[in-house]
Amino acid sequence: MSSRRNPSPPKLPQLLFESRGRYDDEDFAPLVPKTYDLPELPWSLAGKLERTAVAVMHLDARLTASGLSAGWQSRCDMIEATRALILDGHFVDIGDVVLHDAGMDVRSPTHELTRAAAALRARRMVLARKAPWPLSIDGLSALRGLMLGSPEVEPLGKDRGAGAEDGPVHDDEDPLASHLAEIDAILARTTKTLAGETPIPKRRSHLVYDPEVDEAENEDLWLDVVKRTEKWPAIAAAAIAWDAWTGLGMYHRQPWLGLIMAGAILRARGLTTHLLPLVSGYKASRYRLQGREGGVEKVEAFARIVDEAVDQGEKDMQRLALARETMLRRAKDCRSNSRLPQLIELFLSRPLVSGAIASKLIGVTPKAVDLMLAQLGGALPRELTGRRRYRAWGIV
């Protein structure tokens, strides 16, 4: 009787058998963490990878010694931003990118121009931070415009009074001091938001993003690939990281970020202090993913992309060096307070320069810009527009 009043609970396998009708050992199989398989590379690739690495270091040394490093990188970033969208099937005029970067848009920015500006901002952010930073969770979040988990981020809704630790302490005699301090704090937070350093809470729409794709898991898998290839040659590690980026389908709305991260790996390994124009190299190499290549073919193809990028970078550096030498000959007899050297530096750092851009960035009147352009004479870069109403010049 006692056994009927207080029946003993059945065991777990019996419960599973009674509820589901069967019991499989697979239900209690241990969970295996998901990983990305790395290919096995033969030693025969060592010579090719070494030659490519030497070419990258040679270009970096020549850029540093020439004094054109800043201008070359600025031009490269703007051109890469436009070519990245061309590979994605969208066309953006380089003139619109230059005007948008200078804050002189002649019309409302289009969706394509906004994406090109995001690519340009990502390249500059990678260059502004130390090399290992982009290869982290905080780096990926900042490059996407999220900045999740960054200790430097200040929340938007945080109110800072006059007695904050990092703010000035005002006396009670001035009634406007506290209000001005609040206005300054709001302006500082707005500046961080526009620069992409403050997270903006966004609701992800299922019409745009696939709810079945776990981007956090893909980020962990990609960062694991980067960590597991730390001892590999730099070119091979960047090639495998780029292949893993495309294989995992990272950030469908930002496909241009993959080659930027590959360039960041080359920069983190110490091959170069610059960010190579890998998009231009990808376009010149005519390599397109077919989905059936092996690990060796992918690494060799990426090495060709880097070789083409180095070739493009050397040609651009020689072009800038020749143009600078020609223009400086015209500027050697100018006055000590002349703005002509600044105009020459502007030509070296922009794909194109118009009179309005030169007037704003140099801080002179349009008439002074016309006089400086006339002073350059035959050394003036080629005119790109051919119109009187809007004229622009550039080193091509």
Side-chain angles (χ1 to χ4, degrees):
M1 294 294 294
S2 60
S3 60
R4 293 182 179 178
R5 292 179 180 178
N6 299 320
S8 60
K11 296 182 180 180
L12 182 59
Q14 184 176 357
L15 284 175
L16 291 175
F17 183 80
E18 292 177 354
S19 60
R20 298 169 54 184
R22 61 185 182 86
Y23 166 68
D24 298 330
D25 293 337
E26 298 178 355
D27 297 331
F28 297 94
L31 296 177
V32 179
K34 186 178 179 181
T35 58
Y36 190 87
D37 296 333
L38 300 180
E40 296 183 1
L41 303 180
W43 281 101
S44 58
L45 286 176
K48 173 62 177 177
L49 299 181
E50 184 179 1
R51 288 191 296 270
T52 304
V54 170
V56 173
M57 291 186 291
H58 182 65
L59 174 63
D60 183 76
R62 292 187 60 186
L63 283 171
T64 305
S66 64
L68 296 168
S69 176
W72 179 90
Q73 189 65 71
S74 179
R75 285 171 53 93
C76 177
D77 292 341
M78 293 184 179
I79 295 174
E80 285 287 288
T82 58
R83 291 182 176 176
L85 290 188
I86 290 177
L87 293 181
D88 196 27
H90 303 281
F91 176 76
V92 180
D93 188 20
I94 186 65
D96 294 338
V97 176
V98 174
L99 290 172
H100 182 77
D101 182 63
M104 302 176 61
D105 295 296
V106 295
R107 62 183 69 88
S108 299
T110 61
H111 176 65
E112 290 77 12
L113 180 58
T114 305
R115 295 183 64 188
L120 177 61
R121 183 171 59 251
R123 291 183 62 89
R124 290 176 174 174
M125 191 178 299
V126 169
L127 287 167
R129 301 296 185 92
K130 294 184 179 180
W133 176 81
L135 310 176
S136 62
I137 291 294
D138 292 340
L140 292 176
S141 300
L143 293 175
R144 298 179 60 197
L146 300 180
M147 282 295 291
L148 297 176
S150 176
E152 300 178 358
V153 174
E154 179 183 357
L156 288 174
K158 185 179 180 180
D159 296 330
R160 305 183 68 87
E165 296 179 358
D166 57 349
V169 180
H170 303 280
D171 298 332
D172 296 336
E173 298 178 358
D174 190 0
L176 298 178
S178 59
H179 298 286
L180 293 177
E182 293 178 359
I183 294 175
D184 293 339
I186 293 174
L187 291 177
R189 291 197 298 269
T190 304
T191 303
K192 290 183 179 181
T193 302
L194 294 177
E197 299 180 359
T198 306
I200 302 178
K202 298 179 181 179
R203 181 174 298 177
R204 296 169 66 93
S205 174
H206 295 295
L207 298 176
V208 180
Y209 297 93
D210 189 358
E212 298 181 358
V213 176
D214 190 353
E215 292 187 351
E217 182 182 7
N218 293 337
E219 290 176 353
D220 294 337
L221 290 175
W222 186 80
L223 291 176
D224 181 65
V225 170
V226 174
K227 184 177 180 180
R228 290 159 59 191
T229 55
E230 287 181 350
K231 304 300 182 180
W232 288 32
I235 303 297
I240 297 303
W242 180 50
D243 176 64
W245 186 283
T246 55
L248 294 172
M250 298 277 290
Y251 312 147
H252 293 286
R253 296 179 59 83
Q254 296 172 322
W256 39 263
L257 196 54
L259 287 174
I260 295 179
M261 300 307 296
I265 292 177
L266 298 179
R267 186 169 175 263
R269 294 298 188 89
L271 289 186
T272 178
T273 57
H274 303 84
L275 202 58
L276 296 178
L278 294 180
V279 178
S280 301
Y282 178 79
K283 183 178 179 181
S285 66
R286 302 179 181 273
Y287 171 72
R288 300 297 179 266
L289 293 174
Q290 301 295 333
R292 55 179 180 270
E293 300 88 357
V296 178
E297 291 78 6
K298 292 178 180 178
V299 173
E300 290 179 346
F302 184 80
R304 291 197 301 270
I305 292 174
V306 176
D307 290 336
E308 294 290 344
V310 170
D311 189 25
Q312 295 284 342
E314 288 182 351
K315 291 180 180 179
D316 198 12
M317 181 188 61
Q318 295 173 3
R319 192 180 303 112
L320 292 179
L322 180 60
R324 181 184 63 176
E325 181 181 358
T326 306
M327 288 187 291
L328 287 179
R329 290 177 182 176
R330 296 280 184 171
K332 63 180 181 179
D333 296 332
C334 63
R335 300 187 305 272
S336 59
N337 60 346
S338 176
R339 300 293 182 89
L340 186 57
Q342 298 183 18
L343 180 61
I344 294 175
E345 293 297 329
L346 191 61
F347 277 122
L348 297 176
S349 62
R350 298 291 189 280
L352 61 87
V353 177
S354 64
I357 292 177
S359 177
K360 178 181 179 180
L361 297 183
I362 298 179
V364 295
T365 60
K367 183 62 177 179
V369 174
D370 294 338
L371 293 176
M372 287 187 291
L373 293 175
Q375 186 177 356
L376 288 176
L380 183 66
R382 182 182 300 177
E383 187 173 353
L384 303 178
T385 56
R387 296 181 295 177
R388 293 185 177 181
R389 185 173 181 179
Y390 175 77
R391 303 178 66 188
W393 300 265
I395 302 172
V396 295

